[in-house]
Amino acid sequence: MKITRTEIYRYSIPTEPFVIATGTMHYAQNVLIRMHTSTGLTGIGECSAFPMIVGESQDTCLVMAKEFAGILQGKNPLEIPDRMNDLLGYAAHNSTIKSAFDMALFDIASKQARQPLYQYLGGSKHVVETDMTIGIDTPENMAATATVLKEKGCRIIKVKLGKEVHSDIERVRQIRNAAGPEIALRLDANQGWSFDEALFALGAMEEFDIQFCEQPMRTWYDDKLPELKANSRIKIMADESCYNHHDARKLINSGATDYLNIKFSKSGGILEAQKIHEVALQKGVKCMMGGMLETRIGLSAAMHFALSSPNIIFYDMDTYLLGHLIDPVIGGVSYNGYEISISDAHGIGADADPVFLKTLEHWLV
């Protein structure tokens, strides 16, 4: 089997404005690829650029996608480690757009095996319940959102923080009061605090029964994470500090984190995510399946990976529920309230609506 051509799409998805510590998103800056093979099988891949976190924009992803498509043309898509090494040999980093190619390769391989991707990866089905994220707003508005989510049956709320530390504490105070004691609360500061601010904030928020706090500080303070973890009763989850399995190893060995957040846009896709998961599994460090602003195509791949990864016990897979104004996806994951399920279609089991694709700027390599 050979890769014959690759379609590349500027896959822009309008969204409700979403505010985190590092910026506001008004649309999902996604890229979609469809990889064609000599046997007629096609693979789908999606990535979601978050420039303020990964340093890649939709435009940089598109430029590199054209380069990567040319490198892979004529090669065997079933040799996934070799193909990803081809991309790594050409360009370091660029993990976001690499993840789309990785996803397409795994889609082809599992279709060739006539299996849904989770089975191809050695997994089995179980219940997956996502949290719901509240973007940064006034304490009163965030508490009101928490009340609405609780009324809709949400049991796990993730709170975006990382602006002014005293206001952040008040945000969590009001959300806990509105949500009540039975709702699980998670925090995500998105690198918004300094060491002193993080130490103060986490100490002040112990009383609110917090499950964990993601990425309290900028990555350049990673050397301070062990000290923060040692002095915080709230558990720490590394997100932007963990791109690959080498990051995972160093974080765990230095006692810097309690948990790891795995995202394809950071890892470069499933292949490296497996390595992160394996390092964490060997060390007894639990993981979360996270993401950026993917549509149900990217979420479907994440779901398959999560079902095959026993060390993943937290799920932050709510982007489809957060305010995508359109859903141009056929098949893929479905949501029953906040529980996620996947079909047994071969491969990822999701594709983009061809009518929608005709409206998009695209390239063929």
Side-chain angles (χ1 to χ4, degrees):
M1 185 189 298
K2 303 295 182 185
I3 299 168
T4 56
R5 66 188 189 281
T6 302
E7 301 170 54
I8 303 166
Y9 292 88
R10 186 186 293 274
Y11 194 51
S12 300
I13 310 296
T15 67
E16 297 285 353
F18 186 69
V19 182
I20 66 171
T22 49
T24 302
M25 302 295 290
H26 296 277
Y27 71 97
Q29 302 182 33
N30 299 358
V31 172
L32 183 82
I33 70 165
R34 297 185 78 235
M35 187 179 291
H36 296 260
T37 69
S38 56
T39 65
L41 287 178
T42 61
I44 194 86
E46 179 193 11
C47 67
S48 183
F50 226 90
M52 63 279 289
I53 292 178
V54 296
E56 294 175 75
S57 68
Q58 187 182 54
D59 284 332
T60 64
C61 285
L62 289 168
V63 168
M64 295 307 294
K66 298 168 194 174
E67 299 288 339
F68 290 162
I71 290 168
L72 297 186
Q73 191 164 348
K75 296 183 178 180
N76 186 349
L78 303 180
E79 299 169 345
I80 298 176
D82 291 339
R83 298 295 75 80
M84 296 309 295
N85 278 333
D86 290 339
L87 302 188
L88 178 61
Y90 180 78
H93 311 302
N94 299 100
S95 59
T96 299
I97 187 58
K98 283 178 180 174
S99 72
F101 283 84
D102 168 284
M103 194 181 299
L105 292 170
F106 273 98
D107 191 26
I108 291 168
S110 49
K111 285 176 177 174
Q112 171 73 8
R114 302 186 64 80
Q115 291 179 311
L117 179 57
Y118 76 87
Q119 285 186 0
Y120 180 79
L121 297 174
S124 59
K125 286 186 176 179
H126 56 264
V127 175
V128 167
E129 182 178 3
T130 184
D131 60 21
M132 280 296 293
T133 305
I134 300 177
I136 297 175
D137 202 335
T138 65
E140 295 76 15
N141 287 346
M142 293 175 75
T145 300
T147 299
V148 171
L149 289 173
K150 180 181 178 181
E151 290 171 349
K152 290 181 177 179
C154 179
R155 302 194 304 171
I156 312 166
I157 292 176
K158 177 175 167 180
V159 183
K160 290 290 188 180
L161 302 172
K163 291 291 189 180
E164 196 280 320
V165 68
H166 292 90
S167 298
D168 283 340
I169 295 167
E170 183 60 23
R171 288 179 172 100
V172 178
R173 184 190 312 278
Q174 292 200 27
I175 288 170
R176 174 51 82 194
N177 288 338
E182 66 273 20
I183 299 296
L185 285 188
R186 304 168 176 173
L187 311 179
D188 185 0
N190 281 119
Q191 308 180 74
W193 298 324
S194 68
F195 174 79
D196 289 339
E197 289 171 334
L199 193 62
F200 172 72
L202 294 177
M205 291 188 286
E206 287 177 9
E207 63 178 293
F208 304 134
D209 187 22
I210 304 302
Q211 199 172 53
F212 56 76
C213 179
E214 277 186 69
Q215 201 64 37
M217 303 182 295
R218 284 281 183 183
T219 58
W220 52 64
Y221 294 125
D222 280 355
D223 63 312
K224 302 284 282 182
L225 273 173
E227 184 180 353
L228 181 66
K229 177 178 175 292
N231 287 280
S232 173
R233 292 186 180 179
I234 295 176
K235 292 186 181 296
I236 305 298
M237 176 178 284
D239 182 2
E240 290 92 331
S241 293
C242 184
Y243 274 68
N244 55 52
H245 72 284
H246 298 296
D247 295 333
R249 171 179 49 80
K250 289 184 284 187
L251 287 164
I252 294 170
N253 288 347
S254 66
T257 191
D258 296 286
Y259 304 125
L260 297 174
N261 189 352
I262 298 175
K263 297 176 179 175
F264 295 155
S265 287
K266 294 185 302 163
S267 71
I270 294 168
L271 193 66
E272 183 64 26
Q274 289 177 314
K275 296 177 183 179
I276 296 170
H277 178 268
E278 182 62 27
V279 168
L281 182 64
Q282 290 176 0
K283 298 290 187 177
V285 173
K286 300 301 183 183
C287 301
M288 180 160 78
M289 189 72 241
M292 299 301 189
L293 291 174
E294 296 90 348
T295 66
R296 289 189 303 108
I297 291 173
L299 285 166
S300 297
M303 178 66 169
H304 284 289
F305 175 74
L307 291 177
S308 70
S309 305
N311 211 41
I312 292 177
I313 64 168
F314 307 116
Y315 307 93
D316 182 31
M317 300 169 63
D318 58 346
T319 56
Y320 170 69
L321 304 174
L322 276 179
H324 281 200
L325 298 179
I326 58 174
D327 178 25
V329 180
I330 298 170
V333 289
S334 59
Y335 289 76
N336 179 16
Y338 303 99
E339 290 188 356
I340 313 173
S341 59
I342 194 82
S343 76
D344 283 328
H346 296 164
I348 291 171
D351 206 342
D353 183 346
V355 175
F356 178 70
L357 290 183
K358 288 180 180 178
T359 69
L360 303 180
E361 187 179 11
H362 64 279
W363 300 262
L364 181 64
V365 178

